[in-house]
DNA sequence: TAGTGGTCTAGACCACCTC
DNA sequence: AGGTGGTCTAGACCACTAC
């Protein structure tokens, strides 16, 4: 066992105390101040800050100016990705809205439409030329006024020509999937890619993410029986979301409900 | 536009340079040294370190003592979760081994078996009493000698009684899924939960994860037609892995291969 | 041996929140 | 006004890597 630097020892002690619930809600979520900790651990304030920064980067605590350090709490919201838009469910926001409302929480979203050249990775998945025209429908979602996720759906130009309402700014009441189905374009399958990373500064701003919280990236490419028809990239706050997939026979699971 | 602190300005400039490929492989992945940057930005070394720490926490660069800062590179490995263990494929490691080998890379894994009380979240999913006996089969996987993921599979005690080889230390040649199927226990469906967070210190050590890299958590609960039979928790290095799901009709996708 | 990053200190001043 | 965290400095010494 090699000797650990002081700021790590300090972080280890505090991490332990946090895990044991010393600063557990609802009583005293606040940690002692930096100067108190400096005294307690016989370290300079900067060293204390290094230790606390470690815990912040692990997602255990957050800090705010003038207030202090608090232990984080999170109750993740679950999204059932395999059910998400099965025939019977409309797609755009509606499933999201009902899910959130059913959980007794308040949904809210902003929405916009753009027409732009398809980014390379999108173009590849939509199987169109890079930089060819695409329609982007972008959605910024909140739950209880907390930023939750962003969702960007790209449609290829040829599809927007066949289904012009895609490129119009307003919401599509019945959901885009239904709208497309009504025009003879049916989504028969999709391919999901899931990854994670730390947020870019832009993402951190949009989702109000602090240090120590990764994003969960979900990229879904939808197919008609002939070709790709859309590509949706959802960016979740990693501390607030979990994705589920049901595959095969699930009858046992639903019988005696594990939530 | 409010004034940004110096260390952020500095990070913004460097982030920009990195994105533009100024330090792109294969030539000069190394960034200038801290003292060079201190001169260039007219800042103290500590301020430079704050800026660099930001980029590290974003997963853009890493540092090593005596060497310097390098931009990270990653080519993620893709795991097809919906295909992973469909009837025809054996389960334990085998699918992993063939996948990795097919990608022209070298797989390696360590393995151990434990018998322990089931952790609360596992017990709930296996629908057994908390702290009742469970068999844990644990696997630590490497690709090209780089730690890749850990995988912990829990089986309930009643199942281990019916299928005693589960609790034996050795590998099960034909794969556990097949072994169980041969004893009349067939997995007919499963439920996947996917989430992300920063690694615990233990995980960071096992997976040799540096700052700024989250883990991708994959929890799969498998069901027979009567009840849950196993729960597998896989912990991936977020920078090296991506998960895929194929749902519905995928015939178009496979025709003209998007990899 | 020279250069790199890693740790640590002591002190200054600023920005924000609460009272 | 007083306490909190946020930024920044200047300097010291250590640990690792390269040559």
């Amino acid at each position: 066992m090699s000797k650990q630097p002081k700021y790590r020892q300090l972080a280890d002690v505090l991490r332990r105390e946090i895990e044991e619930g010393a600063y557990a809600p609802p009583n005293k979520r606040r940690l002692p101040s930096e100067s108190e900790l400096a005294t307690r651990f016989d370290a300079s304030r900067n060293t204390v800050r290094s230790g606390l920064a470690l815990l912040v980067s692990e997602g255990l605590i957050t800090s705010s100016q003038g207030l202090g350090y608090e232990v984080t709490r999170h109750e993740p919201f679950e999204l059932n990705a395999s059910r998400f838009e099965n025939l019977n469910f409309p797609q755009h926001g509606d499933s999201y809205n009902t899910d959130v409302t059913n959980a007794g929480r308040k949904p809210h979203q902003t929405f916009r439409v753009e027409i732009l050249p398809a980014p390379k990775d999108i173009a590849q998945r939509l199987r169109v030329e890079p930089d060819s025209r695409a329609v982007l429908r972008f959605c910024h979602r909140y739950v209880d006024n907390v930023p939750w996720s962003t969702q960007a759906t790209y449609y290829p130009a040829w599809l927007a020509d066949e289904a012009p309402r895609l490129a119009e700014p307003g919401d599509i009441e019945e959901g885009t999937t239904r709208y497309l189905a009504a025009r003879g374009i049916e989504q028969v399958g999709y391919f999901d890619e899931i990854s994670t990373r730390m947020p870019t500064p832009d993402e951190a701003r949009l989702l109000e993410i602090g240090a120590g919280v990764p994003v969960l990236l979900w990229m879904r490419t939808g197919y008609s029986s002939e070709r790709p028809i859309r590509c949706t990239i959802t960016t979740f706050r990693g501390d607030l979301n979990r994705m589920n997939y049901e595959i095969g026979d699930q009858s046992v699971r639903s019988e005696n409900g594990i939530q």
Side-chain angles (χ1 to χ4, degrees), chain A residues 59-132:
Chain A
L60 289 177
I61 59 176
T62 59
S63 68
S64 25
Q65 220 173 21
L67 288 173
Y69 290 81
E70 286 195 351
V71 312
T72 56
R73 71 192 146 83
H74 30 214
E75 297 142 46
F77 189 75
E78 309 212 357
L79 174 78
N80 193 309
S82 51
R83 252 190 223 171
F84 193 48
E85 45 190 335
N86 264 353
L87 320 114
N88 318 323
F89 296 85
Q91 175 208 348
H92 227 102
D94 306 37
S95 167
Y96 155 81
N97 271 313
T98 53
D99 278 9
V100 172
T101 308
N102 287 344
R105 311 176 76 162
K106 192 167 75 71
H108 168 63
Q109 57 184 325
T110 66
F111 179 72
R112 72 167 197 273
V113 175
E114 284 179 41
I115 297 178
L116 40 68
K120 215 180 101 208
D121 51 335
I122 304 290
Q124 188 201 0
R125 286 174 175 79
L126 291 179
R127 225 168 283 162
V128 297
E129 291 300 309
D131 296 327
S132 68

Side-chain angles (χ1 to χ4, degrees), chain A residues 78-83 242-259:
Chain A
E78 309 212 357
L79 174 78
N80 193 309
S82 51
R83 252 190 223 171
R242 185 157 62 182
M243 292 182 63
N244 298 336
Y245 284 86
E246 295 170 348
I247 296 177
D249 182 353
Q250 293 281 312
S251 49
V252 187
R253 201 178 82 86
S254 32
E255 278 167 24
N256 25 7
I258 284 180
Q259 289 297 338

Side-chain angles (χ1 to χ4, degrees), chain A residues 3 8 13 17 20 22 52 55 57-58 61 67-68 74 77 99 164 173 182-183 199 207-208 220 233 236 239 247 256:
Chain A
K3 188 182 181 299
R8 284 190 183 276
V13 171
E17 292 183 356
E20 286 172 350
L52 291 169
L55 301 181
S57 80
E58 290 169 13
I61 59 176
L67 288 173
H74 30 214
F77 189 75
D99 278 9
E173 278 301 328
R183 310 195 66 106
L207 297 174
E208 289 173 23
R220 167 166 290 186
I233 302 178
F236 292 109
D239 58 342
I247 296 177
N256 25 7

